[in-house]
Amino acid sequence: MEFRTFVFYFLSAILVIAGLRVITSRNPVHAALFLVLAFFTASGIWMLLQAEFLAIALVLIYVGAVMVLFLFVVMMLDINLDRLREGFWSYLPLGSIIALLMVAEMGLVLGGSYLGLLEAEVPQTSADHSNVQAVGRLLFTDYVYPFELASVILLVGIVAAVALTQRERRQSKAVSPSQQVFVKARDRYRVLQMPAEKKD
């Protein structure tokens, strides 16, 4: 088995296991950690295909946005943050394993490329060719309608997440100047007649 094939199967196995653990984990913190691992592993597979732009975009956008996703999970599920802080160190073993897997993946993909072990039949282009330019041209010419549809779906998801977190409308404490102008003096205060108290 070639080294490139071994790396592909290794990353694919980790990606499938991480994806299954995202949907089967009961703890939202564990699910978010496995989601980070899944995105990172998918970017490693993109690196094997020499699509560096897609790999970096996957890491920067999706792995960076996982914290926002976790924030929405905390907001929607009303998780007790004090209890999460108390058990913070209990997540250290799982976090360490995921971090070691990420380091191993980076070592296999980048180290294999550096040592020349990942030479494949991917057609090489000239030095003046840019992956970003090719992806951008395809995205905004042939796939412009799916791109716009994806942006609308993301916008609907953002609005839905905000609407779900606003469970009850908080009363505003702002002062209305128009109501203050029309208030009369007798409406502001009233005199109460109270009987005097006598000390025996």
Side-chain angles (χ1 to χ4, degrees):
M1 180 184 293
E2 296 180 0
F3 182 74
R4 183 185 183 87
T5 309
F6 167 74
V7 173
F8 173 76
Y9 282 122
F10 176 73
L11 295 179
S12 300
I14 293 177
L15 182 58
V16 170
I17 293 171
L20 288 174
R21 288 299 296 152
V22 168
I23 60 174
T24 57
S25 180
R26 295 185 178 213
N27 192 329
V29 179
H30 290 174
L33 287 174
F34 279 114
L35 191 58
V36 169
L37 179 61
F39 286 144
F40 199 84
T41 307
S43 71
I45 294 177
W46 281 116
M47 287 289 289
L48 283 178
L49 296 174
Q50 296 182 0
E52 297 86 5
F53 170 72
L54 294 177
I56 295 301
L58 192 63
V59 171
L60 292 179
I61 296 171
Y62 288 98
V63 175
V66 164
M67 291 303 110
V68 178
L69 172 68
F70 177 68
L71 177 64
F72 277 120
V73 169
V74 170
M75 289 170 63
M76 293 177 63
L77 297 182
D78 288 334
I79 297 174
N80 189 356
L81 292 177
D82 294 332
R83 217 172 80 192
L84 276 179
R85 288 193 190 99
E86 289 174 2
F88 175 76
W89 293 107
S90 63
Y91 302 121
L92 184 62
L94 179 64
S96 301
I97 292 172
I98 290 176
L100 289 175
L101 281 173
M102 288 181 178
V103 170
E105 290 172 5
M106 283 195 307
L108 286 174
V109 174
L110 299 178
S113 298
Y114 181 74
L115 296 175
L117 300 174
L118 295 178
E119 297 296 330
E121 294 101 21
V122 177
Q124 300 294 326
T125 56
S126 59
D128 59 346
H129 181 76
S130 172
N131 282 340
V132 179
Q133 186 178 5
V135 170
R137 183 177 291 114
L138 276 176
L139 193 62
F140 293 107
T141 54
D142 296 343
Y143 298 100
V144 65
Y145 291 120
F147 178 76
E148 293 295 331
L149 182 63
S151 65
V152 171
I153 291 173
L154 287 174
L155 178 63
V156 169
I158 291 171
V159 172
V162 171
L164 286 174
T165 54
Q166 297 290 330
R167 292 185 179 148
E168 60 182 12
R169 185 178 177 85
R170 296 179 181 175
Q171 294 296 329
S172 176
K173 295 183 179 178
V175 178
S176 174
S178 61
Q179 292 179 356
Q180 286 183 336
V181 170
F182 291 109
V183 171
K184 298 180 180 178
R186 65 174 179 270
D187 297 330
R188 293 183 182 271
Y189 65 91
R190 57 181 178 162
V191 178
L192 298 177
Q193 298 293 332
M194 296 181 65
E197 295 182 1
K198 296 180 180 179
K199 294 183 180 179
D200 294 336

